[in-house]
Amino acid sequence: MLIHGQCHCGNISFVLRWEPDPAEIAARACTCSFCRKHGGVWASNPGGALKITIKHSGQLSRYAFGTHTAEFQVCACCGVVPLVTSRIDGRLYAVVNVNTFEDVDPELLRHASSSLDGEGKEVRLERRQRNWIADVAFVGAGDCTLRSN
């Protein structure tokens, strides 16, 4: 299954190859203050492949807080946060915001809340390595062309 998503203005877009086709997609609403304020509801498939296109790299803003181990990819034009990345041991991992999906039947999404309060840095990074998308590539912008491996 190919899942397309983008910010409101289309500056940040992605295509997530999700194999095999999911019977359902876990949509985790993070309870941290940033995600609550931005409507972040995250999904990932460790076996998936994510291609991210940035039309105007000057309109991409990255925001990190707390442990500074993840970067929220924020569109500086429309303010939407389509994805979060984390570089661990030289590899780029990501989760995508289901609220930015363009072509997914909402019935496929299984919403739940997710609290990471009290999770230490090492446990957090290990969880991301297990659960986040590990095949991540930025394409389409000079300073954003990164590859996960």
Side-chain angles (χ1 to χ4, degrees), residues 10-145:
N11 183 47
I12 304 171
S13 62
F14 63 83
V15 177
L16 171 58
R17 187 184 75 237
W18 192 300
E19 293 178 359
D21 284 358
E24 65 181 30
I25 296 174
R28 300 173 306 276
C30 180
T31 60
C32 82
S33 59
F34 187 83
C35 289
R36 279 193 330 268
K37 291 178 185 233
H38 285 85
V41 180
W42 309 105
S44 62
N45 175 1
L50 181 66
K51 291 197 184 236
I52 304 150
T53 302
I54 311 296
K55 287 183 181 174
H56 305 287
S57 61
Q59 292 296 316
L60 174 67
S61 178
R62 294 183 172 106
Y63 179 69
F65 68 99
T67 62
H68 293 275
T69 58
E71 288 188 329
F72 292 83
Q73 308 295 320
V74 183
C75 180
C77 185
C78 68
V80 173
V81 183
L83 62 129
V84 181
T85 59
S86 182
R87 187 166 295 281
I88 305 167
D89 297 332
R91 185 176 198 121
L92 192 62
Y93 295 84
V95 291
V96 293
N97 187 345
V98 302
N99 291 324
T100 64
F101 286 1
E102 295 289 313
D103 53 1
V104 174
D105 181 351
E107 293 295 316
L108 196 58
L109 302 175
R110 297 295 171 250
H111 289 271
S113 67
S114 175
S115 175
L116 305 175
D117 291 340
E119 185 179 60
K121 181 178 175 179
E122 292 306 314
V123 170
R124 184 167 294 195
L125 295 175
E126 289 169 3
R127 175 182 47 76
R128 289 178 187 155
Q129 286 179 302
R130 275 191 320 274
N131 299 326
W132 285 25
I133 304 158
D135 184 353
V136 179
F138 275 86
V139 296
D143 64 338
C144 296
T145 306

